[in-house]
Structure formats: C-alpha cells, structure tokens
Amino acid sequence: MSEARTDWNAMTDEDFRREVRAFYEANYPESLRFLPRRLRWAECRPWYLALSRQGWIAPAWPVEHGGMGLSPMKQIIMLEEQERIGIGRMPDQGLTQVGPTIMRFGSPAQRAKYLPPIIAGDHIWCQGYSEPNSGSDLASLQTTAVRDGDEYVINGSKIWTSMSMDATHMYVLVRTDRHAERPQAGISFMLLDMASPGITIRPIRNIAGHEEFSQVFFDNVRTPADALVGELNRGWTIAKALLGFERLGIGSPRRPRYALTRLEKVARSRGLLDDPVFADRFAQLRLDLADLGSLYRRYVDAVRRGEELGPDVSILKIWAMELNQRLSELLLEAADEHAAVSGATDFDGETVDVLAPFYMSRPGTIYGGSNEVQRNIVAKRVLRLPQE
Ligand SMILES: Cc1cc2nc3c(=O)[nH]c(=O)nc-3n(C[C@H](O)[C@H](O)[C@H](O)COP(=O)(O)OP(=O)(O)OC[C@H]3O[C@@H](n4cnc5c(N)ncnc54)[C@H](O)[C@@H]3O)c2cc1C
C-alpha cells in the first residue's frame, strides 16, 4: 500500500513522531498496554498485522525486503512512542534475528521463501541454540543432523527456547560433523518447520509465573536439505553474526526506558524527586539511559550502512542490561513497602507493577550470552588483553 512507499526519512522528526503516536494510540489495544510480560502471539497478532499493513512492521529492514529502511533517530522515536503508551514485546525473532541473518547469508531462494512470511506475520520464529549442557559453551552442542536423501534428520534437545510455544519455525544449530578438529567447525545453521512430526515442546515456568520459554525435543525430525543456511559445517560464523543482531536488539533502550518511566511515576507520587539524594541517583540513571541511546544509535546506523557488527556490540548488551537492573532495583527502593506486593499498586491514580520490571530485568544479564561471557569477549577480542 502507499504508506509502505512513503519516504519516512524525509519527514521531520516532529511530523514523524506525531504520525507514529496517532497510529499507535488509535490501533494498539488498551488491554495490552504496560503488561509485565511478553505478548503471546494469539493476543498480539491483530496488532502485528495492523503494523504490517501500515508498512511499519520492520523499521530496520531495507525497503526492498518490505522494511521501512528507517534512520536510527527515527527508529528511536518509534521506540520512545512505544514506551509512552506501553506497547508490549511481540514474538519478534523473525524481524530482529533470523530475518537479517537470511538477508546476509541466505540464498536468493531462501530470501524469497522466508522473508515475506515474516513481514506478513505468517511465520513466527524461535531460537534453537542452547541445550541442557551447552549454554555459554555453545560450541559443545550435541543435537545432531544427519543427511538422508533430500533431508536432514534431527535428534536431540534445545532448552530455554523463548516463545517456542507460539513459533511456526525455529532456526537451529546442529552438529553435522562429530569428528571436526574444533567443535565450532562441525556445526550447521538450519531452518525448521515447528509443525514437523517428532517435535515435543515442554513449557518452563519462570519466577514471575509466566511460561515464556520451554524445552524442545527432536525425535527423528526431518527438514529439507535446502533449509541449510550457508555451507554445511560452517554455521558457527552465521550463529555469531546472528548473536550480534540479537545483542543489538537486547541493547535497545526499550527495556530501561520502560523501567525509568515506572520509576519516575512512583518517585513523583512519593515525593522522592524533592529528596536531593534520590534526585541525584535518578539523574545519574537518566544520564546513563541517554548514553545508552547514543551508543545504540551508533550500532543501528552501522547496520543500516551494511557494516558488520563487531564483538564490541557486547558492550551495548552489558550496559543496557545492567542499567535495566539498576533502574528496577531503585524502583523497588522507591516503592518502599509496596515492593513486597506482587501485581499492580495504585500510586496517585497511576497503577504500577513494581516487582515485574525487577523480575524481568534479572535474566537480561543471562540471555543473549551472559554478561560475564560478554566481558570475556570484550577483554579478548576488543581490548586484546593478555590471557592467562
Ligand atoms: C529468559 C531467557 C530466555 C532465553 N531464551 C533463549 C532462546 O530463545 N534460545 C536459546 O537458544 N537460548 C535461550 N536462553 C539461554 C541463554 O542463552 C543461556 O542461558 C545463556 O547462554 C547461559 O547459558 P547457561 O544457562 O547454560 O549457563 P552456563 O553457561 O552454565 O553459565 C552459568 C554461569 O557461569 C558463568 N560462566 C560460564 N562460562 C563462563 C566463563 N567462561 N567465564 C566466566 N563466567 C562464565 C555464566 O556467566 C553464568 O553466570 C534464554 C535464557 C533466558 C534466561
């Protein structure tokens, strides 16, 4: 439709913000605002489709693949407006992770087959990387894929697979050569239809009581040979590039901004902004969030220019997730006795769930690669510090 071809980058920031705000206000359901959890596909599908029809579902994608080709500044404006009215996180791994990966490493046939259904909301993706005994040491993964005619046969198990219950597809790391010299050398990157026979999904409940991830079992699951992305046994490079896109997504100021908004409401209602000690801590966190926004824009711009994300994107992930934790901790302090109450509390007419941001911020230093491991990456590959 015509909106998809509008040159959004040519608009002034103010006009663009006005247009985005009006669309979000008019189309995003009241009942899904400021939810303390990720959105399930069944509840957010109409919203996803509304964005897709508007041509706004993939702000960062190039126009040729159905995206907006949007400048980093305008992407931040969209994020800010999403935060303002409390738009929740949809199952977005197609848009933020596997989509950009297929653009970069997929064949023309794979791009044609897999990219349009992401834009249309027909394919929902999940990530099959971690296994019960392979997390930080991902290269030790044991799920296998063996060639049989025109197919690969997959056996093994993946764990902590976010939103797998809603996913139609999984991108999966599998071992295709057990005898390779280095473990990384025998891994391949494949695409898998979750409706394939032999897949069992067992949901796992998190500390907040939500079932957002699961363990997935593969019992002789077949996927066509053309679902292999890149070369056989060369999936590690693709896996790492995808993690770069994932860390960029995790490093977005979206989550910390959400926590800051909640913090400001509670602090105002309790008169804490007049307390110089509290105001000092609040201002510091606000400045840290501004720094995060600048750093994020730099990386988004690099991706837009088609540059490869280097290992230094780990710094963005560390900073975003640790800031999110510091904000959610101060929110608990600000709420005082209400911090012990689970669910929404009324603060001068504004309802705020003070525990939810705290719970949601805890795993942020684990998923996408733990922050300890990110520090190792920065030490080794960015700072090139000597190793013991
Ligand atoms: C909410 C959530 C969602 C997730 N979603 C997905 C998903 O969709 N798909 C998927 O594939 N995975 C997912 N994961 C898994 C995530 O990627 C792993 O949890 C993470 O990589 C850590 O692996 P692990 O849990 O096995 O911990 P381990 O690797 O066992 O690490 C345990 C502890 O040891 C530390 N550690 C390990 N090695 C080192 C080292 N070399 N140096 C210093 N410290 C070290 C770690 O930092 C950590 O504190 C998710 C995790 C969470 C919490």
Side-chain angles (χ1 to χ4, degrees), residues 342-362:
S342 139
T345 302
D346 188 84
F347 292 92
D348 287 342
E350 295 264 20
T351 53
V352 178
D353 185 335
V354 289
L355 262 179
F358 179 77
Y359 282 150
M360 288 164 78
S361 72
R362 294 296 102 188

Side-chain angles (χ1 to χ4, degrees), residues 307-333:
E307 289 171 20
E308 218 167 289
L309 285 175
D312 52 313
V313 73
S314 294
I315 298 169
L316 183 76
K317 197 251 161 178
I318 295 170
W319 185 246
M321 291 296 96
E322 293 182 4
L323 172 60
N324 199 30
Q325 292 189 343
R326 287 187 280 131
L327 280 161
S328 67
E329 283 158 16
L330 190 58
L331 175 59
L332 290 191
E333 267 186 59

Side-chain angles (χ1 to χ4, degrees), residues 127 129-130 135-136 160-162 213 363 366-367 370 372-373 376:
Q127 178 188 67
Y129 274 25
S130 307
S136 302
W160 317 122
T161 321
S162 297
F213 46 32
I366 304 172
Y367 56 64
S370 78
E372 291 79 14
V373 170
N376 288 349

Side-chain angles (χ1 to χ4, degrees), residues 240-314:
K240 280 197 300 184
L242 185 139
L243 282 171
F245 293 128
E246 182 176 10
R247 286 170 194 153
L248 177 63
I250 295 173
S252 120
R254 199 177 59 83
R255 293 175 187 81
R257 199 184 297 282
Y258 177 88
L260 186 90
T261 319
R262 317 280 81 199
L263 175 60
E264 190 165 3
K265 283 197 165 99
V266 172
R268 196 173 299 285
S269 139
R270 299 182 71 83
L272 288 168
L273 294 175
D274 300 327
D275 171 346
V277 175
F278 183 91
D280 189 44
R281 291 170 75 191
F282 182 79
Q284 181 62 53
L285 290 169
R286 194 172 210 149
L287 291 173
D288 287 349
L289 179 60
D291 285 346
L292 176 68
S294 309
L295 191 62
Y296 177 71
R297 276 203 294 277
R298 213 186 86 189
Y299 284 106
V300 169
D301 213 13
V303 170
R304 219 168 65 99
R305 287 194 302 263
E307 289 171 20
E308 218 167 289
L309 285 175
D312 52 313
V313 73
S314 294

Side-chain angles (χ1 to χ4, degrees), residues 129-145:
Y129 274 25
S130 307
E131 297 184 3
N133 294 310
S134 302
S136 302
D137 183 18
L138 187 60
S140 67
L141 62 90
Q142 294 298 322
T143 295
T144 55

